Amino acid sequence: MNNTIPVEDLYAAGFLLAHGIELKEHARRFGYSTFYFEAGEQTDKLIEQYLTDTTFMEFANAIRRLKSLMYSEPKGLNTPLSNSTNVKSAKGRTTA
């Protein structure tokens, strides 16, 4: 694809999209997604920022770990956490 940058990392793709970089296309092969973003200087700067921003990388890694827990076999972490705080999910449901 001309004038696009392929991105296979979902979090990097979300980072670019959140910063206003135009998503040109999405392709899915063999169960894996590739997002194609508009190429340019701003896209290059944001990719560099994504790769070097330790706070964001810690957040992305935490989400990866949580997703692993969500989609793996139960391993004893299904008990309620003491002193847990109610948190609203994206769909507005409250969990304890």
Side-chain angles (χ1 to χ4, degrees):
M1 297 211 133
N2 294 337
N3 298 322
T4 60
I5 294 177
V7 176
E8 295 177 347
D9 181 317
L10 177 64
Y11 302 98
F15 187 79
L16 292 174
L17 201 57
H19 284 86
I21 302 301
E22 184 179 352
L23 176 63
K24 295 288 194 175
E25 187 176 338
H26 168 257
R28 188 166 174 87
R29 286 188 75 195
F30 307 113
Y32 293 95
S33 288
T34 303
F35 303 93
Y36 295 90
F37 285 90
E38 180 178 50
E41 186 177 327
Q42 181 65 18
T43 305
D44 292 340
K45 285 180 183 178
L46 286 169
I47 290 172
E48 181 66 25
Q49 180 181 350
Y50 171 79
L51 292 172
T52 59
D53 185 337
T54 58
T55 301
F56 184 79
M57 291 305 289
E58 289 171 3
F59 173 76
N61 288 331
I63 295 296
R64 286 183 183 100
R65 286 194 318 265
L66 291 171
K67 284 176 64 177
S68 290
L69 285 173
M70 289 170 50
Y71 298 110
S72 66
E73 293 295 319
K75 295 186 172 59
L77 291 177
N78 290 330
T79 57
L81 299 174
S82 61
N83 300 323
S84 64
T85 303
N86 287 342
V87 178
K88 287 207 177 220
S89 71
K91 293 185 179 179
R93 291 186 300 249
T94 302
T95 58

